Amino acid sequence: MTQDTLTECLECGLLQRNPALPPGGVSECARCGCVLHRDRPDSLNRTLALTIAGFVLFIVANAFPFLSFEMQGQSTQTTLLTGVMDLYQGGNWFIAAVVLFTSALAPGLQLVLLLAVLIPLALGHMPPWLPRLYRWVRTLAPWGMMDVFMLGILVSVVKLSEMATIVPGASLFAFGALILILAAAQAALDPDLVWSRVPLKIDPSRPVRPGDDHLVCDVCELVMHRSDAVRDHRSFGLALNRLPRCPRCADVLHRRKPHTLQRTWALVAAAIAFYLPANLLPIMTMTSLGYVQSDTIFSGVLFLLDYGLWPLALVVFIASVVVPLLKLLILVFLLLSVHWRSHWRPRERTRLYRVLELIGRWSMVDIFVVTILVALVRLGHLASVQAEAGAIFFCAVVVVTMLASMSFDPRLIWDVLEREPHVRNPERSHRLATGVP
Ligand SMILES: [Zn+2]
Ligand SMILES: [Zn+2]
């Protein structure tokens, strides 16, 4: 496939050679240092085996209770979905929807989509719907948060250990194993290998050369001539959609993420507006034997410290207090640096963005703690937990900052350097020296 001899870095936009990799080899961007491609030996078979195992564990994890709560002779059991139902019935539909999506729907859908893609590939088939289905595996990936949910379970068990007995159920073990299996499946999957199996209707005798008017697909990373983009709207069933689309995965093509600065600023502004009520208002109220206590995000951390559990207190403090604030500060800094056409350390700024994408989801831990406590502690007057307004604002901060970092295009950091060649720019000369032939 001659079209794949050039690749474009999705983080800095540099067009460069795509070397053939030895088994287990890794290629990095010549300019920003991000990983471009990684060879994963026996990728399809290993991923399929892990996905089948994951699917079975997913069903077990959802079918049985994962924790039991026993207090003064009374007990309650909770499945993964009990908390979602209780939140919904208590009027907190927004938190219920977010928890349902991140702890069950997104990982479940990801497993089903992977099976639907990998089984035909293993049998040597390439159904026409496969690329469009596979596209969603990547879209769903950041929203699956079973590992964060597990941390939430740990914090909840610690919080309740003083007032009641907590008994782990069968599904808790399935849940733990599922997290490991999902991580292994993600590490085994080689997306390039899947994409390389999709037949292309592009003229192989006309590969893209440096300087050609080209487009790159943000999803399957195909580099193509602008004229090779599909504009036939009828083939995708959307009568009004005349945007250029990728001939391989059918994703909409654009040189940079559309309206990236406006969108990111709007989302950052919304997150800043939610940040104060999220931290000042209580996120839950716990009633136990007539004693009522409201917890904010910060008092939850102090509670763990009071019990001498400083490693867990530190983890929750970083995930819930430091990470959301740091994410907002980094986003504002990146946005301003693009507006001011800054030339300062573009490589480090791109790395900051990469960190931002990795850490954001862990802030969800306190929302999961509230969900688990609401589901477990429901013994009426004896003991109960209610979600409060702070949790809604906090959940909104996490979701909105994740959307903000997704809508920011890190290639803008490098565009400034390319448009002003008169300014001395080591990255540009580096690119000319090593990047494109
Ligand atoms: Zn790069
Ligand atoms: Zn594509």
Side-chain angles (χ1 to χ4, degrees):
M1 205 171 301
T2 19
Q3 294 291 357
D4 277 343
T5 50
L6 282 186
T7 187
E8 191 169 293
C9 173
L10 291 181
E11 293 197 0
C12 74
L14 177 69
L15 191 66
Q16 55 205 298
R17 247 192 242 108
N18 192 16
L21 292 174
V26 177
S27 63
E28 286 178 359
C29 173
R31 184 160 70 169
C32 75
C34 83
V35 172
L36 290 174
H37 299 286
R38 192 187 294 274
D39 179 78
R40 294 166 167 102
D42 198 20
S43 166
L44 292 186
N45 287 331
R46 276 198 305 144
T47 315
L48 180 59
L50 288 165
T51 310
I52 292 171
F55 189 68
V56 174
L57 286 170
F58 184 81
I59 292 171
V60 176
N62 279 283
F64 299 98
F66 71 96
L67 284 179
S68 306
F69 173 84
E70 291 169 19
M71 185 181 181
Q72 309 218 332
Q74 294 194 46
S75 74
T76 54
Q77 285 189 327
T78 179
T79 64
L80 279 178
L81 295 178
T82 320
V84 173
M85 295 291 286
D86 287 353
L87 283 171
Y88 179 73
Q89 279 159 7
N92 289 305
W93 58 267
F94 173 66
I95 306 179
V98 173
V99 172
L100 177 67
F101 184 64
T102 52
S103 68
L105 269 186
L109 263 176
Q110 228 187 335
L111 284 168
V112 171
L113 288 176
L114 269 177
L115 283 181
V117 168
L118 293 173
I119 290 174
L121 279 184
L123 297 173
H125 294 303
M126 176 50 69
W129 42 260
L130 192 142
R132 267 172 275 171
L133 220 54
Y134 185 58
R135 187 149 63 95
W136 286 97
V137 173
R138 185 182 170 127
T139 312
L140 285 170
W143 297 102
M145 302 188 191
M146 293 193 118
D147 40 1
V148 186
F149 196 90
M150 196 67 180
L151 179 63
I153 292 176
L154 190 67
V155 176
S156 310
V157 168
V158 168
K159 270 187 188 283
L160 294 177
S161 59
E162 283 292 308
M163 64 187 274
T165 314
I166 308 294
V167 185
S171 98
L172 190 64
F173 299 103
F175 197 75
L178 176 57
I179 292 167
L180 297 178
I181 294 270
L182 270 181
Q186 232 146 35
L189 180 64
D190 184 350
D192 304 332
L193 195 65
V194 178
W195 291 123
S196 69
R197 302 274 178 98
V198 180
L200 267 176
K201 290 176 200 139
I202 287 180
D203 181 7
S205 65
R206 209 169 58 96
V208 175
R209 300 197 183 283
D212 285 354
D213 185 18
H214 71 279
L215 284 168
V216 61
C217 174
D218 283 353
V219 173
C220 71
E221 302 185 20
L222 178 73
V223 179
M224 75 207 89
H225 289 281
R226 189 177 284 274
S227 55
D228 284 332
V230 179
R231 284 178 190 273
D232 184 5
H233 53 279
R234 281 165 301 181
S235 61
F236 298 106
L238 296 164
L240 293 171
N241 197 346
R242 287 165 197 278
L243 295 165
R245 282 176 180 267
C246 172
R248 185 154 70 177
C249 72
D251 192 45
V252 175
L253 298 166
H254 28 67
R255 222 181 73 75
R256 297 292 176 258
K257 292 177 188 171
H259 311 295
T260 169
L261 289 179
Q262 294 93 319
R263 265 198 214 182
T264 316
W265 272 121
L267 289 163
V268 166
I272 291 173
F274 295 146
Y275 187 79
L276 274 184
N279 280 280
L280 295 176
L281 296 176
I283 56 166
M284 64 177 173
T285 301
M286 190 185 278
T287 313
S288 169
L289 301 169
Y291 178 70
V292 182
Q293 188 199 341
S294 287
D295 260 331
T296 60
I297 294 277
F298 196 69
S299 71
V301 177
L302 293 180
F303 174 90
L304 293 172
L305 263 187
D306 278 350
Y307 280 88
L309 299 158
W310 65 266
L312 201 57
L314 190 69
V315 169
V316 176
F317 178 72
I318 290 174
S320 304
V321 182
V322 179
V323 166
L325 190 63
L326 198 68
K327 272 194 83 167
L328 285 173
L329 289 176
I330 292 177
L331 275 170
V332 168
F333 165 70
L334 290 177
L335 284 165
L336 287 177
S337 80
V338 168
H339 276 286
W340 290 335
R341 315 185 68 73
S342 165
H343 288 247
W344 182 78
R345 293 179 182 267
R347 214 177 145 101
E348 280 71 18
R349 277 186 285 149
T350 315
R351 206 170 289 160
L352 261 185
Y353 175 75
R354 221 171 293 149
V355 172
L356 200 69
E357 292 246 279
L358 277 181
I359 57 174
R361 49 209 288 286
W362 287 93
S363 307
M364 207 63 172
V365 62
D366 262 322
I367 297 301
F368 290 145
V369 170
V370 172
T371 310
I372 294 161
L373 293 185
V374 166
L376 269 180
V377 190
R378 45 196 170 96
L379 297 174
H381 294 297
L382 192 57
S384 66
V385 170
Q386 264 94 42
E388 299 288 348
I392 302 174
F393 285 107
F394 192 79
C395 191
V397 169
V398 181
V399 173
V400 171
T401 45
M402 278 183 72
L403 292 173
S405 71
M406 285 174 193
S407 66
F408 181 75
D409 197 327
R411 289 171 289 197
L412 296 184
I413 295 172
W414 299 87
D415 285 351
V416 181
L417 308 176
E418 293 208 349
R419 273 183 220 141
E420 293 167 31
H422 59 280
V423 183
R424 275 193 62 200
N425 173 7
E427 270 74 25
R428 188 177 161 81
S429 46
H430 182 63
R431 171 200 169 179
L432 292 172
T434 59
V436 198

